[in-house]
Amino acid sequence: MTIANTTLQERIDEAIKEARKLSAEGKTTQAAEAWDEVEELFAEVSHKKQQTNFQQYCQEHPEADECRIYDV
């Protein structure tokens, strides 16, 4: 796992804890928003898994020559 994935996993864990806490407290509006955030974080994980290694490299190093995109 990379540092970015570990950080993302930690964010997911914290978001789930917060959503569960709000749900248990009966704060339905805030809980719904918290669960939406959890869903968005899982979508981000899914998106990252669909990237090729080259796409991930370019995302992490946009200044690299091989990652530059030119308009013609």
Side-chain angles (χ1 to χ4, degrees):
M1 246 190 213
T2 64
I3 294 172
N5 288 340
T6 303
T7 302
L8 186 55
Q9 185 59 49
E10 290 172 356
R11 288 174 47 203
I12 290 171
D13 293 342
E14 288 299 315
I16 289 172
K17 280 186 205 176
E18 182 66 18
R20 285 182 178 161
K21 182 181 107 181
L22 292 169
S23 294
E25 293 173 354
K27 298 180 180 178
T28 55
T29 304
Q30 294 94 337
E33 291 172 0
W35 285 115
D36 284 343
E37 181 180 349
V38 170
E39 186 177 343
E40 289 175 15
L41 290 169
F42 276 116
E44 186 175 339
V45 168
S46 177
H47 175 72
K48 285 186 180 241
K49 286 181 181 178
Q50 293 175 357
Q51 289 182 335
T52 65
N53 289 336
F54 179 70
Q55 289 170 324
Q56 187 173 355
Y57 172 80
C58 287
Q59 187 174 12
E60 293 172 3
H61 306 282
E63 72 287 348
D65 288 338
E66 59 271 14
C67 297
R68 294 180 186 218
I69 299 173
Y70 298 95
D71 289 333
V72 180

Short mmCIF file of all heavy atoms in Angstrom, two decimals:
data_model
loop_
_atom_site.label_atom_id
_atom_site.label_comp_id
_atom_site.label_asym_id
_atom_site.label_seq_id
_atom_site.Cartn_x
_atom_site.Cartn_y
_atom_site.Cartn_z
N MET A 1 0.83 -1.19 0.00
CA MET A 1 0.00 0.00 0.00
C MET A 1 0.87 1.24 0.00
O MET A 1 1.87 1.30 0.69
CB MET A 1 -0.86 0.01 1.26
CG MET A 1 -2.30 -0.13 1.01
SD MET A 1 -3.20 0.20 2.53
CE MET A 1 -4.50 -0.93 2.24
N THR A 2 0.44 2.25 -0.74
CA THR A 2 1.19 3.49 -0.76
C THR A 2 0.71 4.38 0.38
O THR A 2 -0.31 4.11 1.01
CB THR A 2 0.99 4.23 -2.09
OG1 THR A 2 -0.38 4.59 -2.21
CG2 THR A 2 1.42 3.37 -3.27
N ILE A 3 1.44 5.45 0.59
CA ILE A 3 1.06 6.40 1.64
C ILE A 3 -0.30 6.99 1.33
O ILE A 3 -1.14 7.15 2.21
CB ILE A 3 2.13 7.50 1.77
CG1 ILE A 3 3.42 6.89 2.29
CG2 ILE A 3 1.66 8.61 2.70
CD1 ILE A 3 4.60 7.82 2.30
N ALA A 4 -0.56 7.30 0.05
CA ALA A 4 -1.85 7.89 -0.33
C ALA A 4 -2.99 6.94 -0.01
O ALA A 4 -4.03 7.36 0.49
CB ALA A 4 -1.85 8.25 -1.81
N ASN A 5 -2.82 5.65 -0.29
CA ASN A 5 -3.87 4.68 0.01
C ASN A 5 -4.08 4.53 1.50
O ASN A 5 -5.21 4.39 1.96
CB ASN A 5 -3.53 3.32 -0.60
CG ASN A 5 -3.68 3.32 -2.11
OD1 ASN A 5 -4.35 4.17 -2.67
ND2 ASN A 5 -3.05 2.38 -2.76
N THR A 6 -3.01 4.56 2.29
CA THR A 6 -3.14 4.48 3.73
C THR A 6 -3.92 5.68 4.25
O THR A 6 -4.82 5.54 5.05
CB THR A 6 -1.75 4.42 4.40
OG1 THR A 6 -1.05 3.30 3.86
CG2 THR A 6 -1.87 4.27 5.89
N THR A 7 -3.59 6.84 3.76
CA THR A 7 -4.29 8.05 4.17
C THR A 7 -5.77 7.97 3.78
O THR A 7 -6.64 8.32 4.57
CB THR A 7 -3.65 9.29 3.52
OG1 THR A 7 -2.28 9.32 3.90
CG2 THR A 7 -4.33 10.56 3.97
N LEU A 8 -6.05 7.49 2.60
CA LEU A 8 -7.43 7.34 2.15
C LEU A 8 -8.17 6.34 3.02
O LEU A 8 -9.31 6.58 3.41
CB LEU A 8 -7.46 6.92 0.68
CG LEU A 8 -8.82 6.85 0.01
CD1 LEU A 8 -9.57 8.19 0.14
CD2 LEU A 8 -8.67 6.49 -1.46
N GLN A 9 -7.52 5.24 3.36
CA GLN A 9 -8.15 4.25 4.23
C GLN A 9 -8.43 4.84 5.61
O GLN A 9 -9.49 4.59 6.19
CB GLN A 9 -7.27 3.00 4.36
CG GLN A 9 -7.93 1.88 5.16
CD GLN A 9 -9.23 1.41 4.56
OE1 GLN A 9 -9.31 1.14 3.37
NE2 GLN A 9 -10.26 1.33 5.37
N GLU A 10 -7.52 5.64 6.12
CA GLU A 10 -7.74 6.29 7.41
C GLU A 10 -8.92 7.24 7.33
O GLU A 10 -9.72 7.32 8.27
CB GLU A 10 -6.48 7.02 7.86
CG GLU A 10 -5.35 6.10 8.25
CD GLU A 10 -4.05 6.84 8.49
OE1 GLU A 10 -3.99 8.07 8.29
OE2 GLU A 10 -3.08 6.17 8.89
N ARG A 11 -9.03 7.97 6.22
CA ARG A 11 -10.16 8.88 6.05
C ARG A 11 -11.47 8.11 6.01
O ARG A 11 -12.48 8.55 6.58
CB ARG A 11 -9.98 9.70 4.76
CG ARG A 11 -8.90 10.74 4.86
CD ARG A 11 -8.61 11.46 3.56
NE ARG A 11 -9.79 11.91 2.85
CZ ARG A 11 -9.82 12.15 1.55
NH1 ARG A 11 -8.74 12.00 0.82
NH2 ARG A 11 -10.93 12.57 0.97
N ILE A 12 -11.47 6.96 5.35
CA ILE A 12 -12.68 6.12 5.29
C ILE A 12 -13.05 5.65 6.68
O ILE A 12 -14.23 5.74 7.08
CB ILE A 12 -12.47 4.93 4.34
CG1 ILE A 12 -12.41 5.41 2.88
CG2 ILE A 12 -13.57 3.89 4.52
CD1 ILE A 12 -12.00 4.35 1.89
N ASP A 13 -12.08 5.16 7.42
CA ASP A 13 -12.35 4.67 8.78
C ASP A 13 -12.94 5.76 9.66
O ASP A 13 -13.90 5.53 10.39
CB ASP A 13 -11.06 4.12 9.42
CG ASP A 13 -10.56 2.86 8.72
OD1 ASP A 13 -11.33 2.21 7.99
OD2 ASP A 13 -9.36 2.54 8.92
N GLU A 14 -12.35 6.95 9.60
CA GLU A 14 -12.86 8.07 10.39
C GLU A 14 -14.27 8.48 9.96
O GLU A 14 -15.12 8.78 10.80
CB GLU A 14 -11.91 9.26 10.30
CG GLU A 14 -10.61 9.06 11.05
CD GLU A 14 -10.82 8.84 12.54
OE1 GLU A 14 -11.61 9.57 13.16
OE2 GLU A 14 -10.17 7.93 13.08
N ALA A 15 -14.51 8.49 8.66
CA ALA A 15 -15.83 8.87 8.15
C ALA A 15 -16.89 7.87 8.59
O ALA A 15 -18.01 8.25 8.94
CB ALA A 15 -15.79 8.98 6.62
N ILE A 16 -16.55 6.59 8.58
CA ILE A 16 -17.50 5.56 9.03
C ILE A 16 -17.80 5.72 10.51
O ILE A 16 -18.96 5.65 10.93
CB ILE A 16 -16.96 4.15 8.71
CG1 ILE A 16 -17.00 3.91 7.20
CG2 ILE A 16 -17.77 3.08 9.44
CD1 ILE A 16 -16.33 2.62 6.75
N LYS A 17 -16.76 5.95 11.31
CA LYS A 17 -16.97 6.17 12.76
C LYS A 17 -17.92 7.34 13.00
O LYS A 17 -18.84 7.26 13.80
CB LYS A 17 -15.64 6.46 13.46
CG LYS A 17 -14.81 5.27 13.76
CD LYS A 17 -13.60 5.72 14.57
CE LYS A 17 -12.45 4.78 14.43
NZ LYS A 17 -11.25 5.26 15.13
N GLU A 18 -17.67 8.44 12.29
CA GLU A 18 -18.50 9.64 12.45
C GLU A 18 -19.94 9.36 12.01
O GLU A 18 -20.89 9.76 12.69
CB GLU A 18 -17.90 10.80 11.65
CG GLU A 18 -18.66 12.10 11.79
CD GLU A 18 -18.60 12.69 13.18
OE1 GLU A 18 -17.72 12.32 13.98
OE2 GLU A 18 -19.46 13.54 13.49
N ALA A 19 -20.10 8.68 10.90
CA ALA A 19 -21.45 8.39 10.39
C ALA A 19 -22.21 7.49 11.36
O ALA A 19 -23.40 7.71 11.62
CB ALA A 19 -21.36 7.75 9.01
N ARG A 20 -21.53 6.49 11.89
CA ARG A 20 -22.18 5.59 12.87
C ARG A 20 -22.57 6.35 14.13
O ARG A 20 -23.64 6.14 14.70
CB ARG A 20 -21.25 4.44 13.22
CG ARG A 20 -21.16 3.42 12.12
CD ARG A 20 -20.27 2.27 12.51
NE ARG A 20 -20.25 1.27 11.44
CZ ARG A 20 -19.33 0.35 11.30
NH1 ARG A 20 -18.33 0.28 12.15
NH2 ARG A 20 -19.38 -0.50 10.30
N LYS A 21 -21.68 7.25 14.58
CA LYS A 21 -21.97 8.03 15.79
C LYS A 21 -23.20 8.91 15.58
O LYS A 21 -24.10 8.94 16.42
CB LYS A 21 -20.76 8.89 16.15
CG LYS A 21 -20.92 9.71 17.41
CD LYS A 21 -19.70 10.55 17.68
CE LYS A 21 -20.11 11.96 17.35
NZ LYS A 21 -19.13 12.97 17.49
N LEU A 22 -23.24 9.59 14.45
CA LEU A 22 -24.38 10.47 14.17
C LEU A 22 -25.67 9.66 14.01
O LEU A 22 -26.74 10.11 14.44
CB LEU A 22 -24.11 11.30 12.91
CG LEU A 22 -23.00 12.35 13.06
CD1 LEU A 22 -22.64 12.92 11.70
CD2 LEU A 22 -23.43 13.44 14.01
N SER A 23 -25.57 8.49 13.42
CA SER A 23 -26.75 7.63 13.26
C SER A 23 -27.26 7.19 14.63
O SER A 23 -28.47 7.20 14.89
CB SER A 23 -26.41 6.41 12.41
OG SER A 23 -26.11 6.78 11.09
N ALA A 24 -26.35 6.80 15.51
CA ALA A 24 -26.74 6.34 16.85
C ALA A 24 -27.37 7.47 17.67
O ALA A 24 -28.25 7.23 18.50
CB ALA A 24 -25.52 5.78 17.58
N GLU A 25 -26.92 8.69 17.41
CA GLU A 25 -27.46 9.84 18.15
C GLU A 25 -28.79 10.31 17.58
O GLU A 25 -29.42 11.21 18.13
CB GLU A 25 -26.45 11.00 18.12
CG GLU A 25 -25.19 10.71 18.90
CD GLU A 25 -24.13 11.78 18.73
OE1 GLU A 25 -24.32 12.72 17.91
OE2 GLU A 25 -23.09 11.68 19.41
N GLY A 26 -29.21 9.73 16.46
CA GLY A 26 -30.48 10.09 15.86
C GLY A 26 -30.44 11.38 15.05
O GLY A 26 -31.48 11.95 14.74
N LYS A 27 -29.27 11.84 14.72
CA LYS A 27 -29.12 13.05 13.90
C LYS A 27 -29.17 12.65 12.43
O LYS A 27 -28.15 12.51 11.77
CB LYS A 27 -27.81 13.76 14.24
CG LYS A 27 -27.75 14.21 15.69
CD LYS A 27 -26.45 14.89 16.00
CE LYS A 27 -26.42 15.34 17.46
NZ LYS A 27 -25.16 15.97 17.80
N THR A 28 -30.38 12.49 11.93
CA THR A 28 -30.57 11.88 10.60
C THR A 28 -29.98 12.71 9.46
O THR A 28 -29.38 12.15 8.55
CB THR A 28 -32.06 11.62 10.33
OG1 THR A 28 -32.79 12.83 10.50
CG2 THR A 28 -32.60 10.55 11.27
N THR A 29 -30.15 14.01 9.49
CA THR A 29 -29.64 14.84 8.40
C THR A 29 -28.12 14.80 8.35
O THR A 29 -27.53 14.57 7.30
CB THR A 29 -30.11 16.30 8.57
OG1 THR A 29 -31.54 16.32 8.63
CG2 THR A 29 -29.64 17.16 7.42
N GLN A 30 -27.49 14.98 9.50
CA GLN A 30 -26.03 14.94 9.56
C GLN A 30 -25.51 13.54 9.25
O GLN A 30 -24.47 13.38 8.60
CB GLN A 30 -25.51 15.39 10.93
CG GLN A 30 -25.78 16.84 11.25
CD GLN A 30 -27.08 17.02 12.04
OE1 GLN A 30 -27.97 16.18 12.02
NE2 GLN A 30 -27.17 18.14 12.74
N ALA A 31 -26.23 12.52 9.70
CA ALA A 31 -25.82 11.14 9.43
C ALA A 31 -25.88 10.85 7.94
O ALA A 31 -24.98 10.21 7.38
CB ALA A 31 -26.70 10.16 10.20
N ALA A 32 -26.92 11.31 7.28
CA ALA A 32 -27.05 11.11 5.84
C ALA A 32 -25.89 11.77 5.10
O ALA A 32 -25.32 11.19 4.16
CB ALA A 32 -28.38 11.65 5.33
N GLU A 33 -25.53 12.97 5.51
CA GLU A 33 -24.39 13.66 4.90
C GLU A 33 -23.10 12.90 5.16
O GLU A 33 -22.25 12.79 4.28
CB GLU A 33 -24.29 15.08 5.44
CG GLU A 33 -25.41 15.98 4.99
CD GLU A 33 -25.42 17.33 5.68
OE1 GLU A 33 -24.54 17.60 6.53
OE2 GLU A 33 -26.31 18.13 5.38
N ALA A 34 -22.94 12.36 6.35
CA ALA A 34 -21.74 11.61 6.69
C ALA A 34 -21.65 10.33 5.87
O ALA A 34 -20.58 9.96 5.39
CB ALA A 34 -21.72 11.29 8.19
N TRP A 35 -22.79 9.65 5.68
CA TRP A 35 -22.78 8.43 4.87
C TRP A 35 -22.51 8.76 3.40
O TRP A 35 -21.88 7.98 2.68
CB TRP A 35 -24.07 7.64 5.03
CG TRP A 35 -24.13 6.92 6.35
CD1 TRP A 35 -25.00 7.14 7.37
CD2 TRP A 35 -23.27 5.86 6.80
NE1 TRP A 35 -24.74 6.30 8.43
CE2 TRP A 35 -23.68 5.50 8.10
CE3 TRP A 35 -22.19 5.19 6.24
CZ2 TRP A 35 -23.05 4.49 8.84
CZ3 TRP A 35 -21.56 4.19 6.97
CH2 TRP A 35 -21.99 3.85 8.25
N ASP A 36 -22.95 9.91 2.95
CA ASP A 36 -22.63 10.35 1.58
C ASP A 36 -21.12 10.52 1.42
O ASP A 36 -20.55 10.17 0.40
CB ASP A 36 -23.34 11.66 1.23
CG ASP A 36 -24.81 11.47 0.94
OD1 ASP A 36 -25.23 10.33 0.68
OD2 ASP A 36 -25.54 12.49 0.95
N GLU A 37 -20.49 11.07 2.44
CA GLU A 37 -19.04 11.25 2.40
C GLU A 37 -18.34 9.89 2.34
O GLU A 37 -17.37 9.71 1.58
CB GLU A 37 -18.55 12.03 3.62
CG GLU A 37 -17.07 12.26 3.62
CD GLU A 37 -16.57 13.04 4.83
OE1 GLU A 37 -17.39 13.58 5.58
OE2 GLU A 37 -15.35 13.08 5.02
N VAL A 38 -18.84 8.92 3.11
CA VAL A 38 -18.27 7.57 3.09
C VAL A 38 -18.37 7.00 1.67
O VAL A 38 -17.42 6.44 1.13
CB VAL A 38 -18.97 6.65 4.11
CG1 VAL A 38 -18.55 5.20 3.91
CG2 VAL A 38 -18.68 7.10 5.53
N GLU A 39 -19.54 7.16 1.07
CA GLU A 39 -19.76 6.66 -0.29
C GLU A 39 -18.80 7.32 -1.29
O GLU A 39 -18.25 6.64 -2.16
CB GLU A 39 -21.21 6.93 -0.70
CG GLU A 39 -21.58 6.33 -2.03
CD GLU A 39 -23.04 6.54 -2.37
OE1 GLU A 39 -23.84 6.87 -1.48
OE2 GLU A 39 -23.37 6.38 -3.56
N GLU A 40 -18.59 8.61 -1.15
CA GLU A 40 -17.66 9.31 -2.04
C GLU A 40 -16.23 8.81 -1.87
O GLU A 40 -15.49 8.68 -2.85
CB GLU A 40 -17.73 10.82 -1.78
CG GLU A 40 -19.01 11.45 -2.27
CD GLU A 40 -19.14 12.91 -1.90
OE1 GLU A 40 -18.12 13.52 -1.51
OE2 GLU A 40 -20.26 13.44 -1.99
N LEU A 41 -15.84 8.52 -0.65
CA LEU A 41 -14.49 8.00 -0.41
C LEU A 41 -14.32 6.61 -1.04
O LEU A 41 -13.29 6.32 -1.63
CB LEU A 41 -14.19 7.96 1.09
CG LEU A 41 -14.02 9.33 1.75
CD1 LEU A 41 -13.99 9.19 3.27
CD2 LEU A 41 -12.76 10.02 1.26
N PHE A 42 -15.35 5.77 -0.92
CA PHE A 42 -15.28 4.46 -1.57
C PHE A 42 -15.23 4.59 -3.08
O PHE A 42 -14.54 3.83 -3.76
CB PHE A 42 -16.46 3.58 -1.15
CG PHE A 42 -16.24 2.87 0.17
CD1 PHE A 42 -17.04 3.16 1.25
CD2 PHE A 42 -15.23 1.93 0.30
CE1 PHE A 42 -16.84 2.51 2.46
CE2 PHE A 42 -15.03 1.27 1.51
CZ PHE A 42 -15.83 1.56 2.60
N ALA A 43 -15.94 5.57 -3.63
CA ALA A 43 -15.90 5.80 -5.07
C ALA A 43 -14.50 6.23 -5.49
O ALA A 43 -14.00 5.83 -6.56
CB ALA A 43 -16.92 6.86 -5.47
N GLU A 44 -13.84 7.02 -4.67
CA GLU A 44 -12.47 7.45 -4.96
C GLU A 44 -11.53 6.25 -4.99
O GLU A 44 -10.66 6.15 -5.86
CB GLU A 44 -12.01 8.47 -3.92
CG GLU A 44 -10.67 9.08 -4.20
CD GLU A 44 -10.29 10.17 -3.22
OE1 GLU A 44 -11.17 10.74 -2.55
OE2 GLU A 44 -9.08 10.45 -3.12
N VAL A 45 -11.70 5.34 -4.05
CA VAL A 45 -10.89 4.12 -4.03
C VAL A 45 -11.12 3.32 -5.30
O VAL A 45 -10.18 2.85 -5.95
CB VAL A 45 -11.21 3.25 -2.79
CG1 VAL A 45 -10.59 1.87 -2.91
CG2 VAL A 45 -10.73 3.94 -1.53
N SER A 46 -12.37 3.18 -5.69
CA SER A 46 -12.70 2.43 -6.90
C SER A 46 -12.08 3.07 -8.13
O SER A 46 -11.54 2.39 -9.00
CB SER A 46 -14.22 2.35 -7.06
OG SER A 46 -14.56 1.70 -8.25
N HIS A 47 -12.13 4.39 -8.20
CA HIS A 47 -11.56 5.10 -9.34
C HIS A 47 -10.05 4.89 -9.40
O HIS A 47 -9.48 4.68 -10.47
CB HIS A 47 -11.87 6.60 -9.25
CG HIS A 47 -11.22 7.41 -10.32
ND1 HIS A 47 -11.62 7.37 -11.62
CD2 HIS A 47 -10.18 8.26 -10.27
CE1 HIS A 47 -10.85 8.17 -12.34
NE2 HIS A 47 -9.96 8.73 -11.54
N LYS A 48 -9.40 4.94 -8.26
CA LYS A 48 -7.94 4.75 -8.23
C LYS A 48 -7.56 3.35 -8.69
O LYS A 48 -6.53 3.16 -9.32
CB LYS A 48 -7.39 5.02 -6.85
CG LYS A 48 -7.33 6.47 -6.51
CD LYS A 48 -6.64 6.70 -5.19
CE LYS A 48 -6.60 8.17 -4.91
NZ LYS A 48 -5.27 8.70 -4.81
N LYS A 49 -8.39 2.35 -8.39
CA LYS A 49 -8.09 0.99 -8.80
C LYS A 49 -8.20 0.83 -10.31
O LYS A 49 -7.58 -0.05 -10.88
CB LYS A 49 -9.04 0.01 -8.11
CG LYS A 49 -8.73 -0.19 -6.65
CD LYS A 49 -9.67 -1.18 -6.03
CE LYS A 49 -9.38 -1.37 -4.56
NZ LYS A 49 -10.31 -2.30 -3.92
N GLN A 50 -9.00 1.67 -10.97
CA GLN A 50 -9.20 1.56 -12.40
C GLN A 50 -8.09 2.25 -13.19
O GLN A 50 -7.99 2.08 -14.39
CB GLN A 50 -10.55 2.16 -12.79
CG GLN A 50 -11.72 1.37 -12.26
CD GLN A 50 -13.04 2.04 -12.56
OE1 GLN A 50 -13.10 3.11 -13.12
NE2 GLN A 50 -14.12 1.39 -12.16
N GLN A 51 -7.26 3.01 -12.56
CA GLN A 51 -6.18 3.72 -13.24
C GLN A 51 -5.05 2.77 -13.57
O GLN A 51 -4.75 1.84 -12.82
CB GLN A 51 -5.62 4.83 -12.35
CG GLN A 51 -6.53 6.00 -12.17
CD GLN A 51 -5.87 7.07 -11.32
OE1 GLN A 51 -4.99 6.79 -10.52
NE2 GLN A 51 -6.29 8.29 -11.49
N THR A 52 -4.41 3.04 -14.70
CA THR A 52 -3.21 2.29 -15.03
C THR A 52 -2.06 2.84 -14.21
O THR A 52 -2.14 3.94 -13.64
CB THR A 52 -2.87 2.42 -16.53
OG1 THR A 52 -2.55 3.79 -16.81
CG2 THR A 52 -4.02 1.96 -17.40
N ASN A 53 -0.98 2.10 -14.17
CA ASN A 53 0.21 2.58 -13.43
C ASN A 53 0.72 3.88 -14.03
O ASN A 53 1.16 4.78 -13.30
CB ASN A 53 1.31 1.52 -13.44
CG ASN A 53 0.95 0.35 -12.57
OD1 ASN A 53 0.17 0.45 -11.64
ND2 ASN A 53 1.55 -0.80 -12.86
N PHE A 54 0.66 3.99 -15.36
CA PHE A 54 1.12 5.21 -16.00
C PHE A 54 0.23 6.40 -15.62
O PHE A 54 0.73 7.49 -15.33
CB PHE A 54 1.13 5.04 -17.53
CG PHE A 54 1.58 6.27 -18.26
CD1 PHE A 54 2.90 6.69 -18.19
CD2 PHE A 54 0.68 7.03 -19.01
CE1 PHE A 54 3.32 7.84 -18.86
CE2 PHE A 54 1.09 8.16 -19.68
CZ PHE A 54 2.41 8.57 -19.61
N GLN A 55 -1.08 6.21 -15.59
CA GLN A 55 -1.99 7.28 -15.19
C GLN A 55 -1.74 7.70 -13.75
O GLN A 55 -1.74 8.89 -13.44
CB GLN A 55 -3.44 6.83 -15.36
CG GLN A 55 -3.89 6.70 -16.79
CD GLN A 55 -5.23 6.03 -16.91
OE1 GLN A 55 -5.57 5.13 -16.15
NE2 GLN A 55 -6.02 6.48 -17.89
N GLN A 56 -1.51 6.74 -12.90
CA GLN A 56 -1.22 7.05 -11.50
C GLN A 56 0.10 7.81 -11.39
O GLN A 56 0.21 8.78 -10.64
CB GLN A 56 -1.17 5.78 -10.68
CG GLN A 56 -1.05 6.03 -9.19
CD GLN A 56 -1.16 4.76 -8.38
OE1 GLN A 56 -1.42 3.69 -8.89
NE2 GLN A 56 -0.97 4.89 -7.08
N TYR A 57 1.10 7.39 -12.15
CA TYR A 57 2.40 8.08 -12.16
C TYR A 57 2.22 9.54 -12.59
O TYR A 57 2.74 10.44 -11.96
CB TYR A 57 3.38 7.36 -13.09
CG TYR A 57 4.66 8.12 -13.29
CD1 TYR A 57 5.67 8.09 -12.33
CD2 TYR A 57 4.87 8.89 -14.43
CE1 TYR A 57 6.85 8.79 -12.51
CE2 TYR A 57 6.04 9.60 -14.62
CZ TYR A 57 7.03 9.55 -13.65
OH TYR A 57 8.19 10.25 -13.82
N CYS A 58 1.46 9.75 -13.66
CA CYS A 58 1.25 11.10 -14.17
C CYS A 58 0.46 11.96 -13.19
O CYS A 58 0.67 13.16 -13.10
CB CYS A 58 0.57 11.06 -15.53
SG CYS A 58 1.69 10.50 -16.84
N GLN A 59 -0.45 11.33 -12.47
CA GLN A 59 -1.21 12.08 -11.46
C GLN A 59 -0.28 12.52 -10.33
O GLN A 59 -0.40 13.63 -9.81
CB GLN A 59 -2.34 11.23 -10.91
CG GLN A 59 -3.27 11.98 -10.01
CD GLN A 59 -4.48 11.15 -9.59
OE1 GLN A 59 -4.52 9.95 -9.81
NE2 GLN A 59 -5.44 11.80 -8.99
N GLU A 60 0.66 11.68 -9.97
CA GLU A 60 1.59 12.00 -8.89
C GLU A 60 2.73 12.90 -9.35
O GLU A 60 3.33 13.60 -8.54
CB GLU A 60 2.15 10.71 -8.30
CG GLU A 60 1.09 9.88 -7.59
CD GLU A 60 1.59 8.51 -7.18
OE1 GLU A 60 2.79 8.20 -7.40
OE2 GLU A 60 0.78 7.73 -6.64
N HIS A 61 3.04 12.87 -10.68
CA HIS A 61 4.16 13.64 -11.22
C HIS A 61 3.74 14.37 -12.50
O HIS A 61 4.23 14.07 -13.59
CB HIS A 61 5.35 12.71 -11.54
CG HIS A 61 5.77 11.88 -10.38
ND1 HIS A 61 6.53 12.37 -9.35
CD2 HIS A 61 5.53 10.58 -10.08
CE1 HIS A 61 6.74 11.42 -8.47
NE2 HIS A 61 6.15 10.31 -8.89
N PRO A 62 2.82 15.33 -12.41
CA PRO A 62 2.33 15.99 -13.62
C PRO A 62 3.40 16.78 -14.37
O PRO A 62 3.24 17.07 -15.55
CB PRO A 62 1.23 16.91 -13.09
CG PRO A 62 1.55 17.12 -11.65
CD PRO A 62 2.23 15.86 -11.20
N GLU A 63 4.50 17.09 -13.70
CA GLU A 63 5.56 17.87 -14.34
C GLU A 63 6.48 17.00 -15.19
O GLU A 63 7.31 17.51 -15.94
CB GLU A 63 6.38 18.61 -13.28
CG GLU A 63 7.30 17.73 -12.45
CD GLU A 63 6.61 16.85 -11.40
OE1 GLU A 63 5.43 17.04 -11.12
OE2 GLU A 63 7.28 15.96 -10.87
N ALA A 64 6.36 15.68 -15.10
CA ALA A 64 7.23 14.78 -15.87
C ALA A 64 7.00 14.96 -17.38
O ALA A 64 5.86 15.15 -17.81
CB ALA A 64 6.96 13.33 -15.47
N ASP A 65 8.07 14.91 -18.13
CA ASP A 65 7.98 15.12 -19.59
C ASP A 65 7.00 14.15 -20.26
O ASP A 65 6.24 14.55 -21.13
CB ASP A 65 9.36 14.96 -20.25
CG ASP A 65 10.29 16.12 -19.92
OD1 ASP A 65 9.78 17.20 -19.56
OD2 ASP A 65 11.53 15.94 -20.03
N GLU A 66 7.04 12.90 -19.87
CA GLU A 66 6.16 11.91 -20.50
C GLU A 66 4.69 12.10 -20.17
O GLU A 66 3.82 11.50 -20.78
CB GLU A 66 6.61 10.49 -20.17
CG GLU A 66 6.64 10.16 -18.70
CD GLU A 66 7.97 10.50 -18.02
OE1 GLU A 66 8.80 11.20 -18.60
OE2 GLU A 66 8.16 10.05 -16.90
N CYS A 67 4.39 12.97 -19.20
CA CYS A 67 3.00 13.19 -18.79
C CYS A 67 2.42 14.47 -19.36
O CYS A 67 1.24 14.77 -19.15
CB CYS A 67 2.91 13.23 -17.27
SG CYS A 67 3.38 11.67 -16.51
N ARG A 68 3.20 15.23 -20.08
CA ARG A 68 2.73 16.49 -20.62
C ARG A 68 1.76 16.26 -21.78
O ARG A 68 1.95 15.36 -22.57
CB ARG A 68 3.90 17.35 -21.08
CG ARG A 68 4.77 17.78 -19.93
CD ARG A 68 5.90 18.60 -20.38
NE ARG A 68 6.77 18.85 -19.24
CZ ARG A 68 7.37 19.99 -19.02
NH1 ARG A 68 7.23 20.97 -19.87
NH2 ARG A 68 8.13 20.13 -17.97
N ILE A 69 0.76 17.08 -21.85
CA ILE A 69 -0.24 17.00 -22.90
C ILE A 69 -0.18 18.32 -23.67
O ILE A 69 -0.24 19.40 -23.08
CB ILE A 69 -1.65 16.77 -22.34
CG1 ILE A 69 -1.68 15.45 -21.57
CG2 ILE A 69 -2.68 16.79 -23.45
CD1 ILE A 69 -2.97 15.20 -20.83
N TYR A 70 -0.07 18.22 -24.96
CA TYR A 70 0.05 19.41 -25.81
C TYR A 70 -1.18 19.53 -26.69
O TYR A 70 -1.67 18.56 -27.25
CB TYR A 70 1.29 19.33 -26.70
CG TYR A 70 2.58 19.27 -25.92
CD1 TYR A 70 3.18 18.05 -25.61
CD2 TYR A 70 3.17 20.44 -25.46
CE1 TYR A 70 4.36 18.00 -24.88
CE2 TYR A 70 4.35 20.40 -24.75
CZ TYR A 70 4.94 19.19 -24.45
OH TYR A 70 6.10 19.14 -23.74
N ASP A 71 -1.70 20.75 -26.84
CA ASP A 71 -2.76 21.03 -27.77
C ASP A 71 -2.14 21.25 -29.15
O ASP A 71 -1.15 21.94 -29.30
CB ASP A 71 -3.54 22.30 -27.38
CG ASP A 71 -4.37 22.08 -26.13
OD1 ASP A 71 -4.77 20.93 -25.89
OD2 ASP A 71 -4.61 23.06 -25.41
N VAL A 72 -2.75 20.65 -30.15
CA VAL A 72 -2.21 20.77 -31.51
C VAL A 72 -3.13 21.63 -32.32
O VAL A 72 -4.28 21.63 -32.26
CB VAL A 72 -2.07 19.39 -32.17
CG1 VAL A 72 -1.52 19.51 -33.57
CG2 VAL A 72 -1.19 18.51 -31.32
#
